[in-house]
Amino acid sequence: MFHFNPDLSSADTTPSPVPPAADKPALDDRQLAVIQRYWQAANYLCVGQIYLQDNALLQEPLKAEHIKPRLLGHWGTSAGQNFIYAHLNHLIGRENVEMLFLSGPGHGGPTLNACAWLEGTYSEVHPQISRDADGMRRFFRSFSTPGGVPSHCGPHTPNSLHEGGELGYSLMHAFGTVFDNPELVAVCVIGDGEAETCPLEGSWKSIRFLDPRKDGAVLPILHLNGYKISGPTVEARTDDADLIQLYQGRGYEPIIVAGDDLPGMHQRFAAALSDSYQRIRQLQAQARDQDLPRVGRWPMIILRSPKGWTGPIEVDGLPVSGTFRAHQVPLAGVREDPQHLALLEAWLRSYEPHSLFDDNGVPAADLDGLNPPAHLRLGAVPHANGGRLLTALDLPAFGEYSLAVPAPGQVIAEAPRKLGEFLRDVIRRNPRNFRMFSPDETNSNRLNAVFEASSRTASGPLLELDDQLAMDGRVMEVLSEHLCEGWLEGYLLTGRHGMWSTYEAFAQVVDSMVTQHAKWLQQCREFPWRKPLASLNILITSHAWRNDHNGFSHQSTGFVDNVLQRRSEVVRIYYPPDSNCLVNVFDHCLRSRNYINVVTCGKQPDFQWLDFEAALEHCSRGASIWDFASSDGGGEPDIVLACAGDVPTTEAVAASWLLQKHVPGIKVRLVNVVDLGILASPRDRPHGLDDASFEALFTRDVPVIFAFHGSTWVIHSMVHGRANEARFHVRGFSDQGTTTTPFDMVVLNDLSRYQLASEALKYVPRLRAQASDAIDLFQRKLREHHSYIREHFEDLPEIRNWHWTDDFEQPTAPPPLAKGHARGQTFTDA
Amino acid sequence: MFHFNPDLSSADTTPSPVPPAADKPALDDRQLAVIQRYWQAANYLCVGQIYLQDNALLQEPLKAEHIKPRLLGHWGTSAGQNFIYAHLNHLIGRENVEMLFLSGPGHGGPTLNACAWLEGTYSEVHPQISRDADGMRRFFRSFSTPGGVPSHCGPHTPNSLHEGGELGYSLMHAFGTVFDNPELVAVCVIGDGEAETCPLEGSWKSIRFLDPRKDGAVLPILHLNGYKISGPTVEARTDDADLIQLYQGRGYEPIIVAGDDLPGMHQRFAAALSDSYQRIRQLQAQARDQDLPRVGRWPMIILRSPKGWTGPIEVDGLPVSGTFRAHQVPLAGVREDPQHLALLEAWLRSYEPHSLFDDNGVPAADLDGLNPPAHLRLGAVPHANGGRLLTALDLPAFGEYSLAVPAPGQVIAEAPRKLGEFLRDVIRRNPRNFRMFSPDETNSNRLNAVFEASSRTASGPLLELDDQLAMDGRVMEVLSEHLCEGWLEGYLLTGRHGMWSTYEAFAQVVDSMVTQHAKWLQQCREFPWRKPLASLNILITSHAWRNDHNGFSHQSTGFVDNVLQRRSEVVRIYYPPDSNCLVNVFDHCLRSRNYINVVTCGKQPDFQWLDFEAALEHCSRGASIWDFASSDGGGEPDIVLACAGDVPTTEAVAASWLLQKHVPGIKVRLVNVVDLGILASPRDRPHGLDDASFEALFTRDVPVIFAFHGSTWVIHSMVHGRANEARFHVRGFSDQGTTTTPFDMVVLNDLSRYQLASEALKYVPRLRAQASDAIDLFQRKLREHHSYIREHFEDLPEIRNWHWTDDFEQPTAPPPLAKGHARGQTFTDA
């Protein structure tokens, strides 16, 4: 009555044209029986999670009070995923192989919880959820209830590798897990709802970047159960011929398993799984024996099975199993409606729980027999808790990547070049557990020294004219922020290290992905058995203030705003002002754990302020007073000029210079901030400066003009609660950009040196007389600049040539370029 | 020397297996000649934009001073797109048809500018850039210079439909333009870099949602020029057989045109274009004559041509044309290097400018002859400036969708239900120019009344058990926030109306897309010839505070934070607290122009506060004092409780009730905010309240406890600059969520009624004696609640049953549900 929907095969518009060829059944009777029983057990545990708060083993007749007062959770995807999980257990045991299970479909929580409990790994990490009747009751009660676990996979269940709440990332995560893991097979179940997302559709091409000689394999299982929420899915309604063509074109060889007949589905799926696994090993052997970077098409399975399979076929006269009505809670109002209660009891009993669990709730011995050896259980493989595999990077001495800075602002350089050399040597020293990713901007971002250590990963045949491209290249460039972020997440989640770099504006393409990763990290803090992971490092070198021809569309600083909404325990924001600070910050990021580190530092030639020693001290403090640009002699200043970000730093230092030149006697203090979080009170963010340290920098009541790289509210929010917070006058990015010379951009955004200096003078009543003339001069300069650049297409000479001078004489030429650094665009700027 | 790279055909790894069959050449000699010359002219104008600030017509030998001081812009994609544009002009003229040109490749600005100038439409909208020598000089000088235009397409050029800065959206935009435009053909050029983005990959399936009986057609031209920035692209290195399979699987029939031979490429491309066009019309005729919603595969063209085609083959001994070095500026340092200057001059002269333009810079007559009839020029078709086609919606009288609210808080309802009825009638009255989009949440979001007017759009064959699905359904559901946003953008940009609804957390999936659309709207304000568009309306009904089983991953309020970074001229944020306010706000949104309206209002059963009249007045003010929940009698209050968002409103009203119950004599004022922007000073946001109106609500110095739906900094930032801003104590969402009952969520986030009331009392020293007992009580209640829900899985009875009572007696039952509204989950909650 409950298990099979005879209408499904007609609901399925196409028969399977690719039955796996087999002379004899894939499973013998004993194997078949235990897989079927394991599936029943997992299904029972899923239904129990959704409905039961008591009588977990159905040892007495089901009553209303056994039912949770609020019915939450999702049944639709559960039985299909349980089916796959049971079969994988069989394969793992037979082949004695490490596999990962990535659950892509929405709301896959019940399955992963149920199977982890069945295999024992759930109880190992949650001892209070023991593998017995009491534990089962607590297990059911913890699902979708306060303080409990959600209807998604997530860090709470040890067989989950990722946060399953937001759809679309399972396949890119799966590929990230197998890079440099040659023996690993990551099985990735993709829901047909999820398959409609753009990130998932864009993930299939990952196979083109996989080197079968050194990387492991992904086995995608596209699970077409017909419906997303209320509506049918695109691929479920696509006929098999088109699907086969589509996936062959994507580089895969699909095996289709379709239907709801039993045991036929078991036999066909087992055969498909076994064939796929053998095919993977054959392709790998071929690649490795013959040193071939590309082999034939990779296997995948398309599983067409009913949504809510084995659940109620009909409720209140409406079809449920095999339809969209099975998505969530197929039987509602169970506490109130005795008929629904009876239906639920019949449904639960259809799985024959008393044959599956003994009176004490312990799973039967044959079920245990299907569990793989302890260390190979999907909730026990270390890759699913990658921190267990993490080894610290072998980092070169970062002092060797210092840039000579004879005096502050006396040399011009492209800040990321030295970082590129540092990363080159990180790659050399860590050839198997560090990767870099980028939407093809490694060159443009001046990190090209890394190509001395490894090339770009080729996605297809090489040509003679290719530059820095190799089949085994480790610098992964794909014009997809989603894939850069997603591959890196998968790589980190399995215990390795890495970074990616991108345009600031387009980092926002992955706002929501970064949010989900942060939520994963945040939740992991509640589970000590989740071992620390290497931090997710994002370098933003093409930022809003220097986009030249790219203009307004490329100018947005909001990525950091979004990251800052995450809890401060898991995010760090850095604005290194120059090359030596950048190397310092990055060395720190690569050593850090469990953070999302966002480092913003431009790639264009710009002033270098600190020598390596000074940078080291500055970065370890997070912020400090720059004496060379201050005139307060260590005493109380008239005004504090604060800055964070390279362009704002230049403008703030120049503003200090202008003030000292034109308003003799003014006491200016310049404070540069590298690590944004130190601004916040430790009450709000754990590593914020205590009030005394904060006031040692910013004083207690002197007005502060804060030149900031991003949105003004970031600073307002950070200093909220500090003494006299209204004295912080922030100038930042205000979405007022254009195609421009660099200085025009700062003028448009009211962040120019002239504007900062003018504003500062408003808060120095002591010097009102001189101030008035200076303000007039500064404002005249702004108008002159506006006209000049529209005529000459470059900044005023006094801007172009300006640099710090201790005597405040106007310089007539810019400082020299550091050796090997260049002005102007390269061939390959984006 | 410059035009042809003989190596390309070998660089191209595969020959074209699909040469279009043709008995005679597609073009006669005269047609061929003029297309070739048009192409030369467009190429010349592109090179000129990048390099020249003077001597635009090369009437004298090229000198260093004619060269711009900073060389910016992108050559790589230009010649290929110019080639397509020239051929399209031929087709449009021959067929007398309205077409759109959507430029997807990055940095397509030079092409669109050049071709618009050639066809005269650029000068029509920018009279100072006249179609003569002077205009050409100004045209060149405006490109990538301060105050000028960027290296992307954008609103400045009349043949651009969208902002081209961020890659990946061209194809979804193209489909959006042709929905309900049965005669329109949108030609969409997709770069092979862009083709790697996930949003682009996910867009191909749009064809499955197109109804050829009522929609127009998209002709995708996949332009494989080999490289993204520095590295090769995936599809350029995929062989033709795989590409054909891939695109056939996606529902298209590709025609491949490959090479760099001339005139062969002209003939083959013209044939491919002509065949594709004929095929489109055949398919449409078939669909329309026979009333077939699905016909055969749709044509597309794959154009393999060299990057930087017709540019320098070799520079400084390195190959350039056909390689990644052609991406941006193939010849650098032209002012400094006489050899490069000579190369540039030869390159420019290779196009034979003096044969293309007369001495006064006017294009030759034959070039004019290739331009389509004036109204069909790609920069003149009204669809490219959709505001010209916009007609106001025929809206029903919104008062007919009122919900009966006998007294504040005395009825419970699902706020979106009435909106669903309103939208149903909007669909009925506007059957050809209004669409709704959603990631399959229309039902879940309680908007299902719309299905009485139209079904979901089917993407494949229908089954008997389908619900609300039809081949010509107008409610477009696809599990992709990208496609919902992108289709709607394309639909709006061509002068129609619409909305989409989604989960709050996952709206962030399209943070960067919404940013780009806002930047388009913002820039359009500079061009009066860009006529106003209908606003982009986003309804968020599944929000952070009521996610139940979905838990932490589904809780993020940051979408609004990102939108608020855009300039206030183009964004509006609404938090209607109940059904009547929601209908009021939405009616306003559908009448508004040129905004992004974000409306957040939960779908779960909740208190209804205002009857229709009161809601109308409240929403038109944007915020008002709710007298029923206030006890200040219109005088000076002890404390102001402010709120925005439905859950915070309930908590704030309940806090007022608790305060009045437990601290007799307290003078509380409750202020509800619907339209967030009114909080800001009109100095910062144009529709902010003036200070007097603001203080009439919030007083000048009374402490304000502000219960807010989103991040606290949003409110801090909004009230920045108001009198005594430090008195605003904001409680909002702090990324501290869990799987939970509703009230547990507000407790975790410190936004519960008990917490708000406790905090309020801290600021009422007048009543310190009573306050202390009340605070103890409130804090005890919080602890009791915490334990209770973990045992009983539902809120404390006094929370469940609470509603507003004028006598402050504790209610023992909740208010009634409005008719037709339901508690509990539905089948299809996400």
Side-chain angles (χ1 to χ4, degrees), chain A residues 203-259:
Chain A
S203 298
W204 294 102
K205 65 178 167 290
S206 304
I207 193 69
R208 312 248 179 233
F209 292 83
L210 183 136
D211 183 342
R213 298 169 300 181
K214 299 178 173 176
D215 300 328
V218 172
L219 175 60
I221 300 179
L222 178 63
H223 186 202
L224 304 183
N225 71 17
Y227 297 86
K228 27 197 193 247
I229 304 177
S230 313
T233 59
V234 172
E235 297 204 355
R237 298 286 167 100
T238 301
D239 66 32
D240 285 350
D242 274 2
L243 285 181
I244 289 169
Q245 214 165 16
L246 174 63
Y247 286 101
Q248 285 182 343
R250 283 173 163 165
Y252 302 83
E253 194 63 69
I255 301 173
I256 300 184
V257 178

Side-chain angles (χ1 to χ4, degrees), chain B residues 19-350:
Chain B
D23 295 335
K24 63 183 180 82
L27 304 169
D28 66 26
D29 288 349
R30 195 193 52 79
Q31 293 166 334
L32 184 68
V34 69
I35 290 175
Q36 167 66 26
R37 279 167 51 74
Y38 201 98
W39 187 35
Q40 288 174 213
N43 289 343
Y44 180 83
L45 292 168
C46 285
V47 185
Q49 287 176 77
I50 295 172
Y51 285 98
L52 301 183
Q53 63 176 350
D54 212 341
N55 192 17
L57 275 170
L58 280 190
Q59 283 168 327
E60 55 175 309
L62 195 62
K63 297 183 199 145
E65 70 248 35
H66 301 146
I67 309 299
K68 297 181 182 181
R70 304 177 72 224
L71 297 178
L72 300 170
H74 297 79
W75 166 244
T77 184
S78 300
Q81 290 203 70
N82 289 338
F83 183 85
I84 296 167
Y85 205 104
H87 278 270
L88 274 184
N89 277 346
H90 172 69
L91 181 72
I92 294 168
R94 192 184 75 191
E95 301 289 339
N96 204 35
V97 59
E98 273 189 340
M99 286 192 161
L100 275 176
F101 183 85
L102 286 99
S103 171
H107 314 297
T111 283
L112 289 185
N113 297 339
C115 294
W117 190 89
L118 260 184
E119 72 188 20
T121 54
Y122 204 89
S123 305
E124 284 165 19
V125 297
H126 302 290
Q128 76 284 17
I129 309 280
S130 46
R131 199 157 167 266
D132 55 23
D134 267 4
M136 192 191 291
R137 177 175 174 273
R138 278 193 289 271
F139 178 59
F140 290 171
R141 289 174 59 84
S142 72
F143 178 79
S144 286
T145 52
V149 303
S151 189
H152 301 279
C153 59
H156 66 276
T157 182
N159 48 2
S160 179
L161 185 85
H162 64 176
E163 170 57 61
E166 183 169 296
L167 302 189
Y169 314 126
S170 60
L171 190 57
M172 56 180 84
H173 283 166
F175 277 95
T177 68
V178 303
F179 293 140
D180 297 320
N181 263 334
E183 299 313 315
L184 186 64
V185 178
V187 174
C188 180
V189 185
I190 297 149
D192 49 353
E194 182 191 19
E196 289 184 13
T197 65
C198 292
L200 200 290
E201 287 231 48
S203 298
W204 294 103
K205 65 177 166 292
S206 304
I207 193 70
R208 312 247 180 233
F209 292 82
L210 184 135
D211 183 341
R213 298 169 300 181
K214 298 178 174 176
D215 300 327
V218 172
L219 175 60
I221 300 179
L222 178 63
H223 185 202
L224 304 183
N225 70 18
Y227 296 86
K228 25 197 193 248
I229 304 177
S230 312
T233 60
V234 172
E235 298 204 355
R237 297 288 166 99
T238 301
D239 66 31
D240 285 351
D242 273 2
L243 286 180
I244 289 168
Q245 214 164 15
L246 175 63
Y247 286 100
Q248 284 182 343
R250 284 173 163 164
Y252 302 83
E253 194 63 68
I255 301 174
I256 300 184
V257 179
D260 65 355
D261 57 303
L262 292 173
M265 284 291 279
H266 281 307
Q267 293 291 5
R268 295 198 299 281
F269 189 77
L273 203 54
S274 183
D275 289 357
S276 298
Y277 179 76
Q278 301 306 335
R279 172 85 177 144
I280 285 171
R281 292 311 191 201
Q282 281 162 12
L283 291 171
Q284 289 177 332
Q286 188 189 354
R288 293 169 194 179
D289 294 349
Q290 303 170 44
D291 195 27
L292 295 176
R294 290 295 176 270
V295 284
R297 292 206 183 96
W298 290 82
M300 68 175 284
I301 297 173
I302 299 178
L303 172 63
R304 291 191 190 260
S305 73
K307 187 151 187 162
W309 196 6
T310 77
I313 304 249
E314 197 178 290
V315 176
D316 301 336
L318 290 171
V320 175
S321 174
T323 82
F324 68 92
R325 293 186 193 88
H327 177 68
Q328 201 188 72
V329 175
L331 284 165
V334 178
R335 256 154 89 115
E336 297 78 24
D337 181 338
Q339 214 175 347
H340 282 202
L341 184 69
L343 276 170
L344 173 62
E345 181 161 9
W347 176 18
L348 281 162
R349 291 199 190 277
S350 74

Side-chain angles (χ1 to χ4, degrees), chain B residues 334-486:
Chain B
V334 178
R335 256 154 89 115
E336 297 78 24
D337 181 338
Q339 214 175 347
H340 282 202
L341 184 69
L343 276 170
L344 173 62
E345 181 161 9
W347 176 18
L348 281 162
R349 291 199 190 277
S350 74
Y351 299 120
E352 301 172 0
H354 298 295
S355 83
L356 304 170
F357 310 102
D358 70 16
D359 285 352
N360 197 25
V362 178
D366 66 329
L367 301 183
D368 258 343
L370 191 65
N371 285 326
H375 67 291
L376 296 179
R377 290 170 301 164
L378 289 164
V381 282
H383 305 284
N385 183 1
R388 288 169 58 193
L389 295 169
L390 186 72
T391 55
L393 284 172
D394 175 11
L395 292 175
F398 62 129
E400 290 172 21
Y401 308 89
S402 67
L403 185 93
V405 178
Q410 303 313 309
V411 66
I412 300 274
E414 297 158 304
R417 289 219 176 274
K418 283 287 175 189
L419 177 64
E421 295 172 21
F422 176 70
L423 292 170
R424 171 196 66 204
D425 294 340
V426 174
I427 293 176
R428 283 185 178 146
R429 286 162 172 255
N430 303 275
R432 307 296 298 156
N433 65 340
F434 176 80
R435 289 207 183 208
M436 290 173 59
F437 305 82
S438 170
D440 195 7
E441 290 160 12
T442 307
N443 239 350
S444 163
N445 288 339
R446 319 311 195 236
L447 296 172
N448 41 310
V450 301
F451 293 132
E452 297 165 23
S454 186
S455 294
R456 295 186 180 88
T457 316
S459 69
L462 303 180
L463 300 181
E464 203 180 322
L465 47 71
D466 285 328
D467 183 53
Q468 313 292 0
L469 191 72
M471 301 309 285
D472 61 353
R474 301 180 60 74
V475 180
M476 304 195 74
E477 295 200 329
V478 59
L479 212 167
S480 167
E481 291 82 2
H482 290 103
L483 287 181
C484 293
E485 170 72 21

